Amino acid sequence: MEKEKLLQDLKKKIIEKFNLKQQPADIGDDEPLFVEGVGLDSIDALELIVLLQQDYKIKLDNAEDGPKVFKSVSTMADYIIQHQDANV
Amino acid sequence: MEKMKIYINATTGISPQESFGATVYPESITQHPGNWFNSIEPDYDTIIDVKLIRRMSRIIKMGAAAALKCLQQAEIKMPDGIIVGTAYGCLQDTEIFLQRMIDYNEELLTPTAFIQSTHNTVGAQIALLLQCHHYNNTFVHKGFSFESALLDAIILLNENEMNNVLVGGVDELTNSSFDILSRFSLYKKSLPGNLYTSKTKGTIAGEGAFFFLLSNLAAKKNMAVLNAVDFFYKPQNSDIIADKINALLSSQGLSMNDIDVIITGRNGDINNDALYDTLEQTVFTGRTVINFKHLCGEYPTAGAYAVWMAALMLKEGKIPQALSSQKTGNEKIRTALVYNHYLNEHHSLFLLTAC
């Protein structure tokens, strides 16, 4: 999937899933998703893992990769592209 | 030694009427079409931290907002305890959680709805918002949930364990709960012109979230005294109820002649209202009787609505015109008795007097 489209897709899904007040354009591609950035927390991290699995059929095999994968929308998109390619 | 008084220092709630933040009983009644009364909700963004609100379901928002407003009215930042009564708990989150179990074949369950689906979430969220690490308890006892919470608070205050306790009764109505309870014929098929004279089965579905700041400290701003609470399960006949009422009044050195207003839980269900008819013709004869279920609908913690209503009336010393067609005279009302039952199983009495 094209990264730009994926970024928009992820932003929409994050806003909807976490009931955020922002618009997709308000979330920067590299803005931290947790704490000082978008403001997600540890419970939301679990929701993101489920989102990856449900919507993109990608399982986060190593939980230690979480902070790196969920750093921003951009890192999430990269992980999805990389693993979707691997799945193909 | 003089018996300790329990005061209602402040109270507010969210209900199908304009109850939120009201300092006097609303003079006009909000009419709802149909057999389902939804609450009139405030703008929660102005009351609850926006970062926390996004994860809250409707009943949690209702409960948290009512609790915060009640504390604000009482001018108390940190209660000594938080006690909540709820029969249904957080239904909306429970439904989401169960639905996802079905949708995803019991795999990949997301944590939020599960975490928030427990009955004690409202009390817990209030504690989180306040950063209150004090006593926190939730009672889930069907039609005795609010009453049990109140009793717990009274015991703690009487024992001087605490001075200010935040007590609430919360229950929400959802599409699913309405459908399921309708199958048990709890609700009327259509709303009659006058709920109380419909002579048909069922009642109106309701919901609400009310909080009370109870205190054992005398203060100028106290609204009313909560003298006594009693509740009893499935009384065999109206004589037993009359005995319970008389015993409650006697325990406070009062008789029925001292009661200025009786608030009953009459709900228009022909199966259950006969008891109120009998009591009005016997033990309540000659007293001013008003009802409240046409305002909030029926739900297991509806007693909290009646206690809120009684507290406001005692503070003002009068019955609002909107609530009584009976001429009540100019004399100030000083004593109110609430008698309510849920499905003729859970029967409750609350006695309140003016400060």
Side-chain angles (χ1 to χ4, degrees):
Chain A
M1 189 189 283
E2 192 190 325
K3 187 171 177 180
E4 190 53 41
K5 191 177 173 299
L6 185 56
L7 287 171
Q8 290 309 309
D9 214 38
L10 279 170
K11 286 176 189 178
K12 274 186 208 158
K13 282 180 178 169
I14 286 168
I15 286 168
E16 194 188 314
K17 196 164 196 70
F18 301 116
N19 199 16
L20 302 174
K21 299 279 177 199
Q22 289 110 309
Q23 296 297 314
D26 299 333
I27 301 176
D29 297 349
D30 297 310
E31 187 179 350
L33 285 173
F34 291 87
V35 195
E36 81 275 20
V38 178
L40 304 187
D41 58 25
S42 56
I43 296 173
D44 300 322
L46 294 168
E47 298 273 2
L48 285 176
I49 293 170
V50 175
L51 183 144
L52 269 190
Q53 206 163 336
Q54 271 171 2
D55 294 17
Y56 300 97
K57 315 292 174 218
I58 293 168
K59 203 170 175 181
L60 191 72
D61 292 323
N62 190 356
E64 284 172 13
D65 290 342
K68 209 165 60 185
V69 176
F70 300 124
K71 194 178 168 198
S72 66
V73 180
S74 181
T75 56
M76 271 186 83
D78 290 338
Y79 189 80
I80 291 166
I81 290 165
Q82 190 186 341
H83 285 76
Q84 274 182 336
D85 289 347
N87 285 346
V88 170
Chain B
M1 199 176 83
E2 201 184 327
K3 194 177 169 249
M4 185 181 281
K5 281 186 177 174
I6 308 295
Y7 300 96
I8 296 176
N9 182 297
T11 175
T12 197
I14 294 170
S15 74
Q17 300 299 314
E18 295 279 2
S19 51
F20 189 68
T23 51
V24 293
Y25 194 86
E27 279 297 335
S28 62
I29 294 173
T30 303
Q31 304 288 351
H32 296 264
N35 51 1
W36 169 325
F37 286 5
N38 255 144
S39 290
I40 301 168
E41 297 178 68
D43 176 9
Y44 295 115
D45 288 357
T46 61
I47 306 158
I48 305 168
D49 185 340
V50 180
K51 275 188 185 151
L52 296 171
I53 208 169
R54 68 180 172 85
R55 207 179 271 146
M56 292 181 178
S57 68
R58 201 167 69 90
I59 191 65
I60 302 172
K61 284 188 271 193
M62 283 168 65
L68 294 178
K69 191 75 177 174
C70 181
L71 287 172
Q72 191 190 60
Q73 288 182 341
E75 294 171 12
I76 284 173
K77 287 205 167 84
M78 192 64 73
D80 301 324
I82 298 166
I83 310 174
V84 177
T86 177
Y88 299 143
C90 301
L91 279 179
Q92 198 180 44
D93 276 322
T94 306
E95 287 169 15
I96 291 170
F97 171 65
L98 293 174
Q99 190 59 50
R100 281 186 188 159
M101 280 181 83
I102 297 164
D103 292 347
Y104 301 122
N105 208 20
E106 297 184 29
E107 290 178 350
L108 296 170
L109 294 176
T110 53
T112 307
F114 171 64
I115 293 167
Q116 309 257 91
S117 68
T118 57
H119 281 68
N120 60 353
T121 306
V122 174
Q125 286 289 343
I126 296 165
L128 274 172
L129 286 164
L130 298 172
Q131 288 298 298
C132 175
H133 301 282
H134 301 155
Y135 182 81
N136 195 306
N137 207 349
T138 298
F139 288 85
V140 183
H141 299 313
K142 282 190 172 177
F144 287 157
S145 303
F146 170 64
E147 289 77 356
S148 303
L150 215 49
L151 186 63
D152 190 24
I154 291 168
I155 291 168
L156 289 164
L157 290 166
N158 272 328
E159 289 177 349
N160 239 339
E161 291 274 326
M162 299 173 187
N163 294 126
N164 296 299
V165 184
L166 185 65
V167 190
V170 301
D171 270 309
E172 71 175 321
L173 191 61
T174 65
N175 288 331
S176 305
S177 73
F178 180 81
D179 289 345
I180 292 165
L181 294 171
S182 291
R183 279 190 231 156
F184 294 101
S185 303
L186 250 66
Y187 307 128
K188 291 190 188 300
K189 298 259 184 292
S190 61
L191 183 66
N194 184 331
L195 176 68
Y196 303 120
T197 56
S198 65
K199 305 288 179 211
T200 55
K201 284 182 189 170
T203 181
I204 304 166
E207 62 174 13
F210 280 87
F211 273 85
F212 302 83
L213 197 286
L214 296 188
S215 176
N216 54 14
L217 306 172
K220 210 175 170 184
K221 67 191 295 298
N222 285 337
M223 298 171 71
V225 178
L226 180 64
N227 303 85
V229 177
D230 191 17
F231 43 98
F232 41 98
Y233 186 65
K234 285 188 178 174
Q236 284 178 329
N237 54 53
S238 61
D239 289 344
I240 292 171
I241 301 168
D243 288 345
K244 288 278 186 189
I245 293 169
N246 288 325
L248 183 94
L249 297 180
S250 298
S251 74
Q252 302 302 311
L254 298 171
S255 73
M256 192 48 75
N257 288 335
D258 298 308
I259 305 300
D260 298 319
V261 62
I262 298 162
I263 303 171
T264 77
R266 185 185 281 273
N267 70 6
D269 185 331
I270 196 169
N271 286 343
N272 295 326
D273 279 358
L275 260 181
Y276 297 111
D277 292 335
T278 307
L279 291 171
E280 283 182 29
Q281 286 154 20
T282 54
V283 71
F284 297 157
T285 309
R287 313 317 305 164
T288 300
V289 179
I290 62 172
N291 308 307
F292 68 95
K293 297 272 172 75
H294 65 295
L295 304 164
C296 64
E298 182 65 283
Y299 60 101
T301 48
Y305 186 96
V307 176
W308 166 78
M309 196 163 120
L312 287 187
M313 286 197 289
L314 289 166
K315 185 186 152 215
E316 285 294 295
K318 63 176 186 181
I319 302 168
Q321 253 181 342
L323 297 181
S324 178
S325 55
Q326 299 172 43
K327 205 177 167 95
T328 53
N330 293 325
E331 234 168 78
K332 260 193 142 190
I333 66 151
R334 294 198 51 82
T335 310
L337 175 71
V338 177
Y339 166 58
N340 179 44
H341 72 72
Y342 183 68
L343 301 177
N344 202 3
E345 290 177 354
H346 302 81
H347 295 245
S348 332
L349 293 165
F350 308 87
L351 181 68
L352 296 92
T353 54
C355 288

